[in-house]
Amino acid sequence: MTDTLHIILDDTAMTAAGQGNILASRLIHRAHAEPGWFLYAPACALVEADRTRPGTAEHLASLPGVTVLNLDLAAALAIAQQETWATAHSQYAAQPTADRPDGAVIATTDPHRWAGQPVRVLDLTP
């Protein structure tokens, strides 16, 4: 394990951030202010969050501490095998990569969604 923390916001966490969820707000602040904290918004989850709460995508994409993860070919192929794009892109983004050798934690307000999935979860339920 490294000293860095990589966190993927799923669509529920993105929506919660736009509704004033204090835990989501703290993550956004830390990703902006503290070295070693990285916050990611998978594009497909960002779209779903914006469908739920219009304006969420533009707001999150404008924050300096949030990196939007594009849908590249490898992600598209992984997503094609799943039912929902938002969940699939978040799960794909949480897997280990060269930039994130330990993978990432998925921040969510619906931890039951991730039960039985091979991901680590950070519950943002207040």
Side-chain angles (χ1 to χ4, degrees):
M1 297 290 289
T2 63
D3 290 337
T4 60
L5 184 58
H6 297 276
I7 301 170
I8 305 294
L9 295 171
D10 77 357
D11 57 302
T12 67
M14 293 181 206
T15 303
Q19 295 173 326
N21 178 294
I22 190 69
L23 299 173
S25 294
R26 286 180 183 165
L27 284 179
I28 292 167
H29 172 73
R30 285 191 164 196
H32 174 68
E34 294 186 30
W37 282 71
F38 300 94
L39 203 54
Y40 305 95
C44 293
L46 194 59
V47 167
E48 191 61 35
D50 201 69
R51 286 181 181 162
T52 302
R53 187 171 189 278
T56 299
E58 186 176 357
H59 174 71
L60 282 173
S62 71
L63 296 173
V66 177
T67 301
V68 176
L69 298 176
N70 294 324
L71 185 62
D72 60 12
L73 177 59
L77 294 174
I79 288 171
Q81 300 173 20
Q82 302 292 325
E83 286 187 35
T84 65
W85 288 30
T87 303
H89 198 189
S90 297
Q91 182 176 342
Y92 173 81
Q95 302 308 309
T97 65
D99 294 338
R100 300 181 298 275
D102 296 324
V105 176
I106 295 180
T108 185
T109 60
D110 185 10
H112 301 292
R113 168 193 288 186
W114 299 103
Q117 298 299 318
V119 295
R120 296 173 290 158
V121 173
L122 176 61
D123 186 355
L124 299 182
T125 306

